[in-house]
Amino acid sequence: ARAAAALVAEGYTIEPQTVRQTVPSLGTLRPNEAVTVVAESSRRVVAVHFEEGAEVRKGDLLFKLDDAALRADLLRLEGRHGLAVATEARQADLVKQKLVSTQDYDRARSELQAIEGEMEVLKVQLAQTEIRAPFAGRVGLRRVSDGAYVSPNTVLTTLQDVSQLKLDFTLPERYASEVRKGQTFTFKVEGRADRYTGRVVAVDPAIDTATRSLLVRGVVPNPGGRLTAGASAAVEFEVEAAEGVLIPARALVPSINGHSVFVLREGKAATQEVTIGVRTSDQVQIVSGLRKGDVVLTSNLLRLRPGVAVRLEARVD
């Protein structure tokens, strides 16, 4: 008769296991490298050598600026340079024969060096008329057309390396000692069901005093350009992994003093006050109140009372 009157409930046997704590955070995806392309001098655009949104290699020519005046100046200097070389050579021979003073030779040599310096300046200016990609990446929208007169303040286009992305996010300062270079984390982006994995590559050495948080930078592989720079990311960062006790969250019962659970003792239900720690979607950490081997009742909780006889229908181990 007593067996028939016993309540049927499921039980969960306590076994120590690894407790992992994840901290949610919001971050922003950033390109691995990014630059705004501008001209180094004020000149007219004579040619555009890329398609908008195309992939370019390091050193590829993007824009060609007008260099006609510079080439004319270089041609004039090359003529003067030839004469200066010949003059310097003659003066050197005359000095050896002691027919001219060393001062005359020094003057010829100085003139030659000055012309060569002017030529080097012009070559640098000519190189600046060819605007090339500083690294491999994807160019953005073209902001100017052929024939446009541009200055160093004029944005020509943008260039981004999105072969991999950086992900910057923050963690509360109490987790500063838990973050290590090389740790992995997971995240999701808006509008995508997939979960992605990143790796910590750097941690800011100082805590932001305004927000009391630590800035962490991760790197994220981006094969095929699936992820877009600038997108927000919901990060889940694992900051702690230690041995502890986890029980199904459905077994937890709110009580006057905080939280409690029903445990099976000598075939009867008994109330046990517990202190909880971190929670997951379906489990909760028990910091104190339970030990290895205890059987926590996980069903029929509304009908359970201390001292009620319980018959286990199944044990959830």
Side-chain angles (χ1 to χ4, degrees), residues 117-134:
E118 292 181 36
M119 291 176 65
E120 289 301 317
V121 170
L122 279 176
K123 289 177 181 178
V124 170
Q125 293 176 343
L126 280 169
Q128 291 175 350
T129 63
E130 295 182 347
I131 302 176
R132 298 181 178 274

Side-chain angles (χ1 to χ4, degrees), residues 4 29 44 83 92 108 117 155 173 193 226 255 261 290 302:
L29 289 169
R44 182 173 56 86
L83 178 60
V155 176
E173 64 174 322
R226 295 173 301 171
S255 68
V261 295
L290 295 175
L302 295 178

Side-chain angles (χ1 to χ4, degrees), residues 53-306:
E55 296 285 343
V56 297
R57 295 170 299 180
K58 181 179 180 179
D60 281 356
L61 182 62
L62 303 180
F63 293 92
K64 177 61 180 175
L65 305 182
D66 181 27
D67 62 357
L70 294 175
R71 291 194 176 280
D73 288 341
L74 182 60
L75 185 62
R76 174 175 54 82
L77 282 175
E78 286 174 347
R80 290 177 53 194
H81 180 263
L83 178 60
V85 168
T87 301
E88 190 269 343
R90 285 195 301 270
Q91 292 294 335
D93 289 339
L94 292 174
V95 166
K96 291 178 181 179
Q97 300 174 30
K98 297 183 179 181
L99 297 177
V100 298
S101 65
T102 56
Q103 183 178 3
D104 292 335
Y105 171 74
D106 291 341
R107 188 179 298 110
R109 181 179 176 81
S110 176
E111 176 68 15
L112 175 60
Q113 291 176 338
I115 293 174
E116 288 176 343
E118 292 181 36
M119 291 176 65
E120 289 301 317
V121 170
L122 279 176
K123 289 177 181 178
V124 170
Q125 293 176 343
L126 280 169
Q128 291 175 350
T129 63
E130 295 182 347
I131 302 176
R132 298 181 178 274
F135 51 82
R138 182 182 301 167
V139 289
L141 301 179
R142 178 163 54 89
R143 309 292 180 86
V144 296
S145 301
D146 291 354
Y149 190 82
V150 298
S151 70
N153 295 324
T154 306
V155 176
L156 304 180
T157 187
T158 58
L159 176 64
Q160 295 185 351
D161 174 13
V162 293
S163 58
Q164 64 179 13
L165 299 177
K166 297 173 182 175
L167 176 52
D168 293 346
F169 60 96
T170 58
L171 293 174
E173 64 174 322
R174 64 179 178 272
Y175 300 118
S177 62
E178 304 289 338
V179 186
R180 298 287 186 274
K181 184 177 179 180
Q183 280 181 287
T184 59
F185 58 88
T186 61
F187 67 96
K188 297 180 69 175
V189 295
E190 189 70 26
R192 292 178 180 267
D194 297 335
R195 185 174 296 275
Y196 303 94
T197 301
R199 176 176 52 87
V200 175
V201 294
V203 180
D204 200 302
I207 292 173
D208 190 329
T209 56
T211 62
R212 312 310 307 180
S213 60
L214 180 70
L215 181 62
V216 181
R217 170 164 290 177
V219 64
V220 179
N222 191 29
R226 295 173 301 171
L227 298 173
T228 305
S232 62
V235 179
E236 290 187 358
F237 191 84
E238 186 178 294
V239 296
E240 184 177 354
E243 289 297 313
V245 172
L246 289 175
I247 65 171
R250 64 180 183 275
L252 200 63
V253 179
S255 68
I256 296 176
N257 297 325
H259 297 88
S260 65
V261 295
F262 283 107
V263 295
L264 183 64
R265 290 179 181 160
E266 299 180 355
K268 296 181 180 180
T271 302
Q272 176 64 52
E273 299 289 337
V274 294
T275 303
I276 68 171
V278 298
R279 288 175 177 265
T280 67
S281 59
D282 58 354
Q283 290 183 311
V284 60
Q285 179 191 15
I286 303 300
V287 178
S288 63
L290 295 175
R291 61 180 183 273
K292 180 179 179 180
D294 285 344
V295 178
V296 177
L297 302 178
T298 60
S299 66
N300 222 350
L301 300 183
L302 295 178
R303 300 179 61 188
L304 287 175
R305 296 293 183 273

